[in-house]
Amino acid sequence: MGPFMKQYNGYKILTVGLVFPVWILYCTMSWSDDTIFRPPAPRPAYEFASKSIESLPQELANLTNLLYWPLTPGDKGDLLASTSPQTSTYHLRGPAQASYALGTYLEAILIARDHRGRPKTHGGDLFRAQLLGPDVKAGVPGDVQDLENGTYLLSFPLLWAGKAQVQVRLIHSSEAIGVLRRIWREKRATVDFQGYFRGPTGTEETVICNVDPQSTRTKGPTCQYRDVDSGELWFCAQPPTLPCNSLVGHSSGHYLNVTTPHDEALLAWKVTDKVLPQGISPIQIRTTAPGNSSLALSPRPPCHPGLPAPKPSGFYHREVWHSLSCSSRSFSTVDSILGCLAGRVVHMMGDSTLRQWWEYLLHTVPSLKSMDLHVTYQTGPLMAVETSRDIVLHWRAHSWPLRSLRTPVASLHSVVRELGGLAGGPHTVVVLGLGAHFTTFPPSIFVRRLTGIRTAVAALLAREPRTLVVIKLANTGYKSVYGSDWFTLQVNRLLRAAFAGLHVAFVDAWEMTSSLALPDNIHPGPLIVRNEVDSLLSFVCPA
C-alpha cells in the first residue's frame, strides 16, 4: 500500500462523524419573543426535521472530529514568530536519483520556519504541494502529512514520463489559520444581506437580513421566514412601516469588519499563497520498459456513482484530466457532447462556479439556445435547449445565504424544494455545487443545509434509482477572511461526509483547480472548466 492510500484510509477514519449534536442544537434553539413570524405558504410542509435526523450517515456524527485541524499556540502578538514562506524549506527524503521509475513515489520533508528562520515546533500550516510537468502540461497534487511538530511529509505519485518539478506554496500560516478558525467558529456571520420590502402603493423599505436574528443588527423585532420544504430559517429586521409579508427582493449587503490589525497582518497578501524557495531540482521520470505507456494508469472501471475516492483523485497530462477512480473520457467535439446529452434534462443547482458549466456548454455547442426567462442572470433560473436532440439544461442559484445583485425573493428556491419536484429517471441528471457562499458563516449553517439536501437526494434516488446525481466539490480561489482555501477544505469535508453512503458521483473540483501552475481563481479559466464538464459527462456517458 502506497503512501497515498495509507493517507486516504487515515482520512476515512478521521471523517467518522458530524451533525447530530449540531442539528439537535438547531432544532431546540429558541429565538427571542420579539420575533414576528410570517405564515408559511399554503402548500404541504416537507417532513424535514425527523427525516433528516433519521437519514444522517454515521460520518455526520461528530463535527469536531470531522473538521479536525491541529491546534496551535499562536504568535502571542509577534508577527515574526509566524510561519514564513521565505524561510521554510523542503528537501528529498532520501538520496537523489538520476531518474525515477514511472508509477513510484517521490517523497520529501518540509520544515516550517518562522520569519527569524527558527524551526516551528507545532503544525497547523496549510501548505499546497504540486508535482508539475511543464513540457507535457502535466500536474498532480502532492499529499501533505502534518506531523504536528513543524515537520511535514510530502509525497508525489509519479504518473507521467519525462521531466517533473516539485512546487510548494504556503497558503496560510498556522497563525493565520488560527484567526480563520476563531472567526469561523465564533462569529455568527461575516457578511450581511439586504431585504427589500414593497407596499401596495409602491413604497419600498430596505433592511438587513441574515441567517439568525442577531445578525440582522437590529435591537427591535425581526421577521422570520421558514422554508416549508427544507425547514431552514431566514431573518430580516422588521421594516419601519411595512409588514413582514411584503418582502419582495434580496441582494448582497456588506462585508463586516471582523479582524484586528494583527489578524490582517497574518492574512496579508505578502505572506499568503506564496511559493517556497526551490528545494528539489527537477527530476526525470522514466518508463519501466521501452515501448511502455508514458502514463501510469492501471485499468479502471467506467465512471459511475458510488466509486471510492482515491487520493489524489486524478492528474493532468497534456491539459487533460485523468481520473484515478474511473476511466474518464474527453468530449472534445460538439458531436460528442450532443451525443452524450441527447434526450437528457440536466438540473444544475448551486453557485456561480457551477453556472460556469452551464455557460461552457452553451458557448461550446452552437445549437444550444438560451431561453430569455426575464430573470436576474446572476441568480437565474437559466435555461438552454437543443430541440433536435431533446436536450434541456437548467441552472439556478441555491437560495439564501446568497451574495448577489438584487433578485426577486420568489426566484430563490431552495435545493430541497427543487429536488422534491423532480420525478427523476434515466434521462434526468442532477448536479449540485454548493460551498462558496457558506464560508462566511459557522460550519453549523452549512451542516444544516446539507442535512436537508441529503434527505431530498435520498428520497429522489429511492423513488427513481436511475437518476444520476453528481456533487461538484468546491474549488480553490479565495484567500481572505471571508473566503479562504482553508474554509473550502472544511466545506469539502462536509460535502463528502454528507453524501456518504448515497449512490452519487463526485467531481473533485478542489484537486482539478490545484494541480496545475495556474493562478487560483474562484471562477477558473476555460481549461479547468472544460475538464470539469468532461468529468461530469463521463458519468452521464461512461462508455
Side-chain angles (χ1 to χ4, degrees):
M1 183 181 292
F4 274 83
M5 289 308 297
K6 290 180 181 178
Q7 289 303 307
Y8 170 61
N9 289 333
Y11 174 77
K12 287 195 294 185
I13 294 172
L14 175 66
T15 61
V16 175
L18 134 88
V19 161
F20 189 77
V22 177
W23 178 246
I24 291 295
L25 175 63
Y26 170 63
C27 288
T28 58
M29 188 181 297
S30 61
W31 306 109
S32 59
D33 292 337
D34 60 0
T35 296
I36 293 178
F37 296 90
R38 179 186 180 187
R43 64 177 189 268
Y46 196 79
E47 296 176 7
F48 170 72
S50 60
K51 288 186 178 180
S52 296
I53 293 173
E54 292 171 2
S55 66
L56 285 175
Q58 185 180 8
E59 286 80 0
L60 296 183
N62 191 309
L63 186 62
T64 302
N65 285 348
L66 184 64
L67 301 183
Y68 171 77
W69 196 267
L71 291 174
T72 59
D75 60 5
K76 298 180 176 58
D78 181 7
L79 185 63
L80 297 180
S82 62
T83 306
S84 167
Q86 287 80 31
T87 62
S88 297
T89 60
Y90 60 94
H91 57 271
L92 288 172
R93 189 174 185 182
Q97 302 177 27
S99 63
Y100 295 80
L102 183 69
T104 60
Y105 287 84
L106 181 74
E107 296 185 324
I109 296 175
L110 188 156
I111 300 174
R113 292 183 168 84
D114 67 17
H115 290 266
R116 297 184 177 92
R118 300 175 302 187
K120 303 294 287 289
T121 58
H122 59 79
D125 302 293
L126 179 57
F127 288 101
R128 182 191 302 169
Q130 300 168 301
L131 187 68
L132 305 171
D135 295 343
V136 290
K137 299 178 180 177
V140 65
D143 183 71
V144 181
Q145 180 184 358
D146 187 351
L147 300 184
E148 301 190 25
N149 61 2
T151 302
Y152 300 77
L153 297 183
L154 312 181
S155 182
F156 307 88
L158 305 182
L159 298 171
W160 65 85
K163 186 178 178 181
Q165 175 67 64
V166 171
Q167 183 179 94
V168 181
R169 307 178 77 91
L170 175 64
I171 305 299
H172 290 300
S173 68
S174 58
E175 292 77 15
I177 288 177
V179 174
L180 298 176
R181 187 209 306 261
R182 184 192 79 236
I183 290 172
W184 202 38
R185 298 295 181 96
E186 297 178 4
K187 299 292 184 181
R188 294 179 179 272
T190 58
V191 297
D192 63 22
F193 304 87
Q194 292 189 316
Y196 302 88
F197 294 74
R198 182 183 302 135
T201 63
T203 301
E204 285 206 354
E205 294 175 351
T206 304
V207 301
I208 293 176
C209 302
N210 224 316
V211 296
D212 65 72
Q214 289 84 352
S215 298
T216 63
R217 293 191 286 161
T218 180
K219 296 180 180 179
T222 57
C223 301
Q224 173 181 291
Y225 305 91
R226 179 184 296 274
D227 186 290
V228 299
D229 296 294
S230 70
E232 291 188 75
L233 299 176
W234 185 252
F235 299 87
C236 293
Q238 182 186 354
T241 64
L242 296 175
C244 287
N245 62 6
S246 61
L247 177 64
V248 295
H250 165 87
S251 76
S252 301
H254 311 87
Y255 287 90
L256 307 181
N257 184 8
V258 294
T259 54
T260 67
H262 186 69
D263 293 340
E264 293 167 7
L266 289 170
L267 294 165
W269 68 269
K270 63 181 180 182
V271 290
T272 299
D273 192 24
K274 297 303 177 187
V275 177
L276 271 61
Q278 195 64 54
I280 300 174
S281 299
I283 65 169
Q284 192 70 26
I285 305 170
R286 66 180 186 279
T287 55
T288 52
N292 283 6
S293 171
S294 61
L295 299 180
L297 280 173
S298 57
R300 296 151 295 147
C303 296
H304 62 82
L307 289 169
K311 192 170 176 61
S313 62
F315 68 100
Y316 285 100
H317 184 261
R318 300 199 184 281
E319 297 185 342
V320 172
W321 178 260
H322 297 271
S323 169
L324 293 177
S325 64
C326 63
S327 53
S328 53
R329 301 175 57 196
S330 178
F331 295 80
S332 56
T333 66
V334 170
D335 285 343
S336 65
I337 296 174
L338 287 172
C340 179
L341 291 177
R344 289 183 166 85
V345 180
V346 182
H347 300 269
M348 303 183 190
M349 310 171 203
D351 57 34
S352 57
T353 66
L354 185 57
R355 188 180 67 222
Q356 288 186 276
W357 294 14
W358 185 90
E359 292 167 338
Y360 169 80
L361 289 169
L362 180 67
H363 297 153
T364 302
V365 180
S367 56
L368 266 172
K369 302 301 180 183
S370 175
M371 309 298 292
D372 185 0
L373 301 182
H374 305 287
V375 297
T376 304
Y377 181 83
Q378 195 179 25
T379 55
L382 306 179
M383 179 179 178
V385 298
E386 211 284 357
T387 55
S388 67
R389 303 291 185 102
D390 296 326
I391 299 170
V392 182
L393 303 181
H394 296 282
W395 174 87
R396 72 180 312 136
H398 60 73
S399 188
W400 44 44
L402 184 70
R403 300 188 296 276
S404 69
L405 300 174
R406 179 169 173 170
T407 193
V409 166
S411 297
L412 297 178
H413 296 187
S414 69
V415 172
V416 171
R417 174 180 173 181
E418 290 295 304
L419 292 175
L422 297 180
H427 301 291
T428 301
V429 179
V430 173
V431 190
L432 305 178
L434 300 90
H437 292 260
F438 290 86
T439 60
T440 52
F441 305 96
S444 58
I445 300 297
F446 194 44
V447 165
R448 193 180 305 165
R449 176 63 53 88
L450 291 178
T451 302
I453 294 176
R454 176 190 166 85
T455 301
V457 168
L460 172 61
L461 294 175
R463 63 180 175 265
E464 184 43 90
R466 293 174 295 175
T467 307
L468 174 63
V469 178
V470 179
I471 311 298
K472 174 191 174 293
L473 296 183
N475 53 262
T476 60
Y478 288 136
K479 301 290 187 294
S480 78
V481 72
Y482 305 103
S484 156
D485 284 350
W486 184 80
F487 290 143
T488 305
L489 185 60
Q490 314 313 310
V491 160
N492 283 338
R493 287 179 174 182
L494 297 178
L495 280 166
R496 288 274 192 193
F499 295 98
L502 294 183
H503 198 62
V504 303
F506 288 91
V507 172
D508 194 347
W510 170 268
E511 290 199 352
M512 296 180 80
T513 54
S514 60
S515 296
L516 291 174
L518 297 174
D520 280 352
N521 191 329
I522 192 63
H523 295 115
L527 187 158
I528 303 294
V529 175
R530 170 174 57 82
N531 280 282
E532 290 176 343
V533 173
D534 281 354
S535 294
L536 165 66
L537 298 179
S538 294
F539 288 105
V540 178
C541 303

